[in-house]
Amino acid sequence: MTAQTHTTGPVTTVYKVTGMSCGHCEGSVSGEISQIPGVSSVKAVASTGEVTVVSEAPLDEEAVRAAVDEAGFELAGQA
């Protein structure tokens, strides 16, 4: 058996969020997701519905879903 090495460093995940239509929407989604522990940056783009999240470790999708819901939008899943 070979030993597995765990790489440390940021994890980037792209999610699809439905319902965003403007900069205010982007800010609401980004603000809620950025409060999840371990998240270092969030970039939401209303025109594509994509939200790019950089975190210390993979995030629990239910935590992301709850944050997006709190912002008033719907998480469609990972892009």
Side-chain angles (χ1 to χ4, degrees), residues 2-78:
T2 58
Q4 290 184 335
T5 56
H6 295 296
T7 56
T8 58
V11 176
T12 302
T13 310
V14 180
Y15 298 96
K16 289 294 272 187
V17 174
T18 59
M20 292 189 300
S21 60
C22 64
H24 180 74
C25 300
E26 294 170 348
S28 295
V29 170
S30 295
E32 289 296 334
I33 293 175
S34 68
Q35 293 180 33
I36 299 171
V39 171
S40 55
S41 75
V42 181
K43 178 168 176 48
V45 180
S47 62
T48 62
E50 292 188 346
V51 180
T52 303
V53 181
V54 179
S55 56
E56 296 170 4
L59 297 175
D60 175 30
E61 190 165 307
E62 288 308 308
V64 177
R65 185 176 307 282
V68 171
D69 186 60
E70 183 67 27
F73 301 95
E74 184 178 344
L75 180 68
Q78 290 190 22

